[in-house]
């Protein structure tokens, strides 16, 4: 099966400023793929290049296997790039109608179903200019879902959403992928959310790919053992350079396999262990580490 | 794809009620309202200074409502909403994932053409109504010394003159909006350009040199004078340039539209 998005030496420059270096990236289908990076890393540039909104300075991009980015392929894609793009004078229902017409759809039932799905049924006849940021985000997502896309590109989809909205968005994203087979590419600054929802991620910094892989593999085996033990001095003596004090406990930087032996050593040394908990390395720490090594 | 884009553009325009009213609905109402006031004032205070009314000449005059730059302001605003709106609301990124660039711009131009055609036709109807009010107040009417075919032809030519002239203006608005990525620039720059054209081309009204037809207002006037002659009106200084004038307007439109379209299809929409 062809990749959902394939970038080959893809780059974009604005005069002397390079927004995207020469990116090689292949995003497989059927999963949630996170594109992560600090502000100005080139995430939005990559997504705009993929959608044909800007033209590459070098390299090429293939979307759903097509090298020519036109409306024929883009109608198989739903996109929400940066702030929600909405007509302020249209109501939510009219917004759906207008975008449906652009897409060549004439299916009022589908428009209503999408409004229901993004939770805007009650506000369907209110103008978009009266909407909160979260509601605008929902409406833009609804517009992106209108054509039953194979690929959904979401740039900061949880911006402006309250905690309940973020959870709904997470559920919706997983449902679209797991139940409907949609591929989702999303960029976000909320790394905790990305870790919860994404299957694979790519870290981009200064327009270049820093690292890429499955989320589970990136965070696996790189955690630490959190210990609440007494006396701490004796515990630190056993751990040596592997231990560091964090709050009221100690974090032992060891592999998960070595944890039982360490606990036995601590007990044998007369340390009372009150709590021992394996901490998975967060995606945020992986991200910071990747960005640090790339700097 | 252009039909789908046209349906979307017409739908959006129909839902943007206030802007659409001021752009395309106000001028016919203004033509009617001012005409009625004018008739009442003239007949109440001045009497029948012109002892006959001529509704069909009035309706032909109504079709020329947009001939002067200042009266094109509403149409310019309408064109700016259609061509510059996506930049202002940053909605290109939502629309262009559904329709290609050339069809959407063509659909926008067609939308403007349909709306301004309706506006122009209503201006003609408004002045026809004013003409009949004049008939009622005067008690007599005169009719053109030509048959029904001549009257229809004259009105079609008059309509075409104003329509082509406004379409050239719309293409200019489109170009400015694409280059500047701003709706307001489309309005201000176009209005200033039209006023400058009128001032610079005053000598062109004498009809001594076809070079003046490069000014769209002179070209439009040449075609309008031909329409008047078709309905038995007096000869105008520019009427003999009418075919050249119509060709100049068509060429201006094609040139401006093509340049704007070429720029738009190559434009990076990194930030609308």
């Amino acid at each position: 099966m062809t990749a959902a998005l394939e970038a080959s030496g893809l780059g974009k420059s604005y005069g002397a400023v390079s927004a995207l270096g020469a990116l090689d990236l292949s995003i497989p289908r059927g999963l949630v793929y996170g594109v992560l990076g600090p502000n100005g890393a080139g995430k939005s540039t990559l997504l705009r290049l993929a959608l044909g909104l800007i033209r590459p300075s070098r390299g090429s991009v293939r979307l759903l296997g097509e090298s020519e980015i036109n409306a024929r392929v883009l109608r198989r894609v739903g996109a929400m790039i940066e702030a929600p793009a909405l007509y302020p004078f249209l109501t939510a229902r009219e917004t759906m109608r207008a975008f449906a017409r652009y897409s060549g759809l004439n299916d009022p039932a589908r428009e209503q179903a999408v409004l229901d799905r993004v939770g805007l049924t009650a506000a369907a006849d209110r103008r978009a200019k009266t909407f909160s940021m979260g509601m605008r985000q929902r409406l833009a997502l609804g517009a992106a879902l209108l054509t039953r896309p194979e690929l959904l590109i979401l740039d900061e989809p949880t911006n402006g959403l309250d905690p309940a909205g973020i959870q709904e968005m997470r559920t919706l994203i997983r449902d679209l992928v797991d139940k409907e087979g949609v591929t989702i590419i999303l960029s976000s600054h909320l790394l905790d959310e990305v870790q919860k929802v994404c299957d694979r991620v790519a870290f981009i910094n200064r327009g270049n790919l820093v690292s890429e892989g499955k989320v589970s593999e990136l965070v696996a085996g790189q955690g630490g053992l959190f210990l609440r033990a007494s006396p701490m001095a004796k515990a630190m003596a056993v751990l040596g350079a592997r231990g560091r004090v964090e709050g009221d406990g100690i974090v032992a930087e060891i592999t998960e396999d070595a944890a039982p032996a360490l606990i036995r050593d601590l007990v044998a040394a007369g340390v009372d262990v009150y709590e021992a908990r394996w901490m998975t390395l967060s995606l945020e720490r992986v991200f910071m580490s990747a960005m640090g090594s790339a700097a | 794809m252009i039909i789908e884009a046209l349906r979307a553009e017409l739908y959006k325009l129909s839902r943007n009620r206030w802007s659409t009213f001021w752009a395309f609905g106000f001028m016919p109402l203004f033509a009617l309202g001012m005409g009625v006031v004018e008739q009442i004032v003239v007949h109440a205070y001045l009497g029948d200074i012109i002892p006959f009314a001529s509704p069909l000449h009035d309706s032909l005059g109504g079709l020329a409502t947009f001939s002067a730059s200042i009266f094109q302001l509403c149409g310019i605003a309408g064109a700016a909403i259609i061509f510059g709106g996506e930049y202002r609301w940053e909605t290109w990124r939502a629309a262009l994932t559904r329709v290609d660039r050339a069809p959407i711009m063509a659909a926008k131009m067609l939308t403007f053409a349909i709306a301004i055609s309706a506006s122009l036709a209503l201006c003609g109807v408004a002045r026809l109504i004013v003409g009949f009010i004049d008939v009622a107040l005067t008690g007599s009417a005169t009719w053109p010394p030509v048959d029904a075919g001549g009257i229809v032809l004259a009105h079609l030519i008059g309509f075409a003159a104003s329509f082509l002239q406004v379409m050239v203006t719309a293409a200019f608005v489109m170009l400015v909006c694409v280059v500047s990525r701003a709706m307001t620039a489309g309005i201000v720059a176009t209005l200033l350009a039209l006023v400058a054209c009128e001032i610079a081309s005053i000598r062109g009204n004498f009809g001594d040199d076809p070079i003046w037809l490069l000014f769209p207002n002179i070209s439009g006037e040449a075609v309008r004078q031909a329409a008047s002659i078709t309905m038995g009106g007096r000869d105008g200084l520019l009427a003999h340039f009418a075919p050249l004038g119509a060709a100049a307007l068509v060429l201006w439109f094609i040139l401006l539209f093509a340049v704007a379209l070429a720029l738009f299809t190559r434009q990076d929409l990194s930030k609308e």
Side-chain angles (χ1 to χ4, degrees), chain B residues 43-257:
Chain B
H43 285 279
Y45 295 102
L46 301 176
D48 296 337
I49 51 172
I50 301 173
F52 56 85
S54 181
L56 290 173
H57 279 106
D58 285 342
S59 61
L60 191 61
L63 293 176
T65 300
F66 285 98
S67 58
S69 58
I70 193 69
F71 291 127
Q72 285 195 44
L73 180 59
C74 292
I76 291 169
I81 290 162
I82 291 172
F83 296 112
E86 313 289 344
Y87 292 104
R88 179 169 184 175
W89 304 309
E90 299 187 3
T91 40
W92 273 131
R93 59 179 179 264
L96 291 177
T97 52
R98 299 160 202 273
V99 190
D100 287 327
R101 295 189 184 205
I104 202 169
M105 272 305 192
K108 282 179 179 290
M109 190 54 87
L110 279 172
T111 301
F112 178 81
I114 291 168
I116 204 71
S117 296
S119 188
L120 264 175
L122 286 172
C123 284
V125 171
R127 294 304 301 190
L128 183 68
I129 293 168
V130 171
F132 279 114
I133 292 171
D134 193 14
V135 170
L137 293 173
T138 307
S140 67
T142 59
W143 304 102
V146 292
D147 59 9
I151 292 167
V152 171
L153 181 63
H155 278 76
L156 285 176
I157 295 171
F159 175 86
S162 295
F163 175 75
L164 287 174
Q165 195 181 333
V166 178
M167 288 303 284
V168 170
T169 304
F172 188 80
V173 173
M174 176 185 168
L175 178 60
V176 175
C177 286
V178 168
V179 171
S180 68
R181 304 177 186 227
M183 188 194 280
T184 313
I187 297 172
V188 174
T190 307
L191 193 60
L192 289 176
L194 291 188
V195 171
C197 274
E198 282 195 12
I199 293 168
S201 66
I202 286 172
R203 270 204 57 206
N205 287 298
F206 296 118
D208 53 354
D209 190 343
I211 192 71
W212 294 104
L213 295 172
L214 286 173
F215 289 92
N217 53 311
I218 299 294
S219 294
E221 187 54 31
V223 183
R224 265 187 295 276
Q225 286 183 11
S228 179
I229 288 169
T230 306
M231 214 164 71
R234 286 183 295 117
D235 192 9
L237 294 171
L238 291 167
H240 61 291
F241 285 142
L244 263 179
L249 289 173
V250 171
L251 287 175
W252 263 124
F253 173 75
I254 292 171
L255 179 70
L256 290 167
F257 182 70

Side-chain angles (χ1 to χ4, degrees), chain A residues 240-270:
Chain A
R242 296 175 299 169
R244 61 185 158 83
V245 176
E246 198 170 288
D248 63 344
I250 298 167
V251 174
E253 289 172 350
I254 56 170
T255 62
E256 199 168 5
D257 298 343
L262 175 64
I263 293 168
R264 277 196 300 273
D265 290 348
L266 288 169
V267 172

Side-chain angles (χ1 to χ4, degrees), chain A residues 105-119:
Chain A
L105 287 178
N106 185 16
D107 187 357
R110 173 68 185 160
E111 294 160 21
Q112 184 58 52
V114 168
L115 284 173
D116 293 344
R117 185 159 200 180
V118 295

